[in-house]
């Protein structure tokens, strides 16, 4: 007896499975990252939220024919299908706007100078401290809708605009609540070490780091709603020693280390990520060759954030080619935040990855799906299209994988399916869960 699917996607010019033969739970690195597992003129059959088959259309139709009145058919009409994008680095939950600082930067002000003068991250801290849980949840929920419209179906969310126990917790709770009401799966990262808050200005960074490790972190870890711990390891923010202290304290409490490493200057962040066996090091625009080697040896995933360099009007993009040549698995993310990257668009990030960092379209798609999923601990459920995996994918209005980066600033997303449910159709939200 044949199994009839609940859902069939037919007529796709290409399906990008990100699942070439091999262990699907692991990131792709080196040359292997260039094979996105593309199937030409393909189809997907889905039942009970899982993929039954993905392959050449004639084979899928033969084994899983549609049943009248039962099977919903999506006609991909010559477009491409990709796994739902995974945005592996966002500062999802914050209140307020920093448009004045964007104007100041247009007039020549520098990002870290604005922070040192009490603006930047600290201005978002003021606005976020003043916002209620309900307000933050609603803000996050609207952002998750925007993510879905751009094909993102899983994301990481960092705290770090509270810098005190109550507000850090409120940010993480807001991410949790918003995700519970959305098809987008969110995993949380505690990032109390994002900046030194004004009440610690006199005592300094050391005293604040002690407070984070001894008071904030234990409280957050005890709630069980954060999976990772991150720190802004950067000249002028937190030193390597301070960052190590936070990451080890997090690890003792069960939080897996991540590092904001070498964003603006070589700061030893990539080396630190390797030393503490972080799951990922992020930014890396100024990472040293030694740091990249150390990451490759330790199996640390590089999460690259080209939209940040774009917004900072810098041409110092991370050296993705050196990382891929060195065997470091490369992932991509938006770094969505109010200061350095106010975009939720993974297609735009893919454009920048190709045009500015010289990644191939296949490498960039793998980076934005499978490798990103691995960077946030979702490697066994998200980021690939294969039988038995959740049926979570996007239909893009693009004729070929190689064309995706060239629709600059356009949103190519036509349909999004999450665990077998159509949640975006004709580029619009179908319903809210
Ligand atoms: O990843 N670098 C630190 N954090 C963010 C920026 C946060 C902000 O400016 O509000 C980043 O770029
Ligand atoms: Fe960031």
């Amino acid at each position: 007896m044949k199994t009839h699917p609940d859902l069939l996607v037919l007529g796709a010019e290409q399906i990008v499975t990100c699942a070439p033969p091999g262990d699907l739970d692991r990131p792709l690195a080196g040359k292997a990252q260039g094979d996105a597992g593309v199937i030409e003129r393909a189809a997907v059959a889905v039942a009970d939220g899982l993929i039954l088959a993905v392959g050449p259309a004639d084979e899928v139709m033969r084994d899983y024919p549609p049943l009248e009145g039962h099977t919903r058919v999506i006609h991909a009409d010559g477009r491409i299908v990709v796994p739902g994008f995974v945005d592996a680095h966002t500062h999802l939950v914050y209140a307020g706007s920093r448009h004045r600082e964007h104007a100041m930067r247009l007039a020549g002000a520098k990002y870290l100078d604005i922070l040192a003068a009490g603006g930047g991250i600290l201005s978002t801290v003021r606005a976020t401290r003043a916002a209620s849980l309900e307000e933050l949840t609603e803000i996050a929920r609207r952002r998750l809708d925007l993510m879905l419209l751009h094909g993102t179906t899983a994301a990481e969310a960092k705290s770090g605009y509270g810098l005190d126990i109550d507000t850090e917790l409120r940010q993480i709770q807001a991410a949790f609540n918003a995700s519970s009401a959305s098809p987008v799966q969110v995993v949380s990262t505690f990032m109390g070490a994002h900046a030194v808050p004004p009440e610690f200005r006199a005592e300094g960074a050391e005293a604040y780091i002690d407070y984070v490790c001894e008071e904030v972190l234990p409280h957050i870890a005890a709630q069980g709603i954060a999976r990772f711990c991150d720190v802004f390891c950067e000249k002028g923010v937190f030193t390597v020693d301070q960052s190590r202290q936070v990451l080890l304290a997090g690890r003792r409490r069960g939080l897996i280390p991540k590092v904001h490493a070498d964003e603006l200057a070589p700061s030893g962040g990539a080396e630190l990520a390797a030393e503490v066996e972080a799951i990922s090091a992020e930014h890396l625009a100024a990472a040293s060759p030694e740091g990249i080697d150390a990451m490759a040896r330790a199996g640390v995933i590089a999460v690259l954030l080209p939209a940040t360099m774009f917004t900072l009007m810098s041409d110092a993009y991370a050296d993705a080619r050196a990382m891929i040549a060195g065997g470091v698995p490369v992932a991509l993310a938006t770094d969505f935040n109010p200061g350095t990257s106010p975009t939720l668009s993974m297609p735009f990030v893919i454009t920048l990855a190709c045009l500015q960092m010289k990644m191939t379209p296949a490498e960039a798609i793998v980076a934005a799906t499978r490798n990103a999923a691995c960077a946030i601990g979702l490697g066994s459920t998200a980021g690939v299209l294969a039988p038995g995996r959740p049926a979570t994918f996007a239909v893009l209005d693009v004729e070929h994988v190689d064309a995706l980066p060239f629709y600059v600033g356009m949103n190519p997303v036509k349909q999004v399916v999450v665990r077998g449910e159509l949640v975006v159709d004709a580029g619009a939200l179908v319903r809210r869960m």
Side-chain angles (χ1 to χ4, degrees), residues 16 46 73 75 96 217 259 294 300 305 326 372 415:
V16 187
V46 175
V73 178
H75 294 282
L217 200 154
V259 191
V300 180
L305 311 167
Q415 278 100 3

Side-chain angles (χ1 to χ4, degrees), residues 23 63 98 133 148 160 223 287 295 310-311 337 356 395 408:
D23 180 355
D63 296 342
R98 304 245 290 273
L133 176 61
L148 262 190
Q223 309 295 315
M295 283 176 58
F310 179 82
T311 309
N337 76 72
Q356 300 289 350
V395 180
V408 177

Side-chain angles (χ1 to χ4, degrees), residues 91-109:
H91 304 257
L92 176 74
V93 182
Y94 67 83
S97 164
R98 304 245 290 273
H99 56 276
R100 278 191 206 88
E101 285 169 25
H102 293 300
M104 283 163 70
R105 282 211 313 276
L106 281 179

Side-chain angles (χ1 to χ4, degrees), residues 89 91 98 101 105 111 120-122 124 158 161 191 194 232 234 260 263-264 283 305 308 312 335 337-341:
H89 176 141
H91 304 257
R98 304 245 290 273
E101 285 169 25
R105 282 211 313 276
Y111 177 71
I121 293 171
L122 295 176
T124 302
K158 299 178 195 291
Y161 291 122
M191 197 176 175
H194 195 196
F232 193 2
E234 189 71 36
H260 267 67
E263 174 177 350
L264 305 162
H283 283 291
L305 311 167
T308 306
L312 290 174
D335 191 19
N337 76 72
T340 64
S341 184

Side-chain angles (χ1 to χ4, degrees), residues 369-385:
T369 56
R370 173 175 176 150
N371 285 8
C374 293
I376 60 170
L378 299 180
S380 58
T381 53
V384 304
L385 300 180

Side-chain angles (χ1 to χ4, degrees), residues 75-161:
H75 294 282
D77 292 336
R79 303 184 171 108
I80 72 168
V81 177
V82 296
F85 294 126
V86 178
D87 194 342
H89 176 141
T90 85
H91 304 257
L92 176 74
V93 182
Y94 67 83
S97 164
R98 304 245 290 273
H99 56 276
R100 278 191 206 88
E101 285 169 25
H102 293 300
M104 283 163 70
R105 282 211 313 276
L106 281 179
K110 289 276 167 277
Y111 177 71
L112 284 181
D113 295 343
I114 295 172
L115 175 61
I121 293 171
L122 295 176
S123 88
T124 302
V125 169
R126 286 190 287 278
T128 305
R129 285 180 175 178
S132 68
L133 176 61
E134 291 65 34
E135 286 165 337
L136 292 177
T137 302
E138 179 55 19
I139 289 170
R141 206 191 46 71
R142 272 188 265 131
R143 291 178 186 154
L144 294 185
D145 281 352
L146 285 170
M147 279 189 182
L148 262 190
L149 287 167
H150 289 85
T152 297
T153 53
E156 184 251 23
K158 299 178 195 291
S159 69
Y161 291 122

Side-chain angles (χ1 to χ4, degrees), residues 7-16 42 44 73-85 148-153 347 385 392-399 404 411-418 422-428:
L7 174 71
L8 261 180
V9 180
L10 300 176
E13 185 62 25
Q14 296 182 308
I15 293 187
V16 187
V44 193
V73 178
I74 294 176
H75 294 282
D77 292 336
R79 303 184 171 108
I80 72 168
V81 177
V82 296
F85 294 126
L148 262 190
L149 287 167
H150 289 85
T152 297
T153 53
L385 300 180
T392 299
F393 50 80
V395 180
L396 308 184
D397 192 7
V398 163
E399 66 277 23
L404 177 56
N411 182 6
V413 174
K414 280 287 162 246
Q415 278 100 3
V416 179
V417 170
V418 174
L422 185 66
V423 295
V424 171
D425 195 16

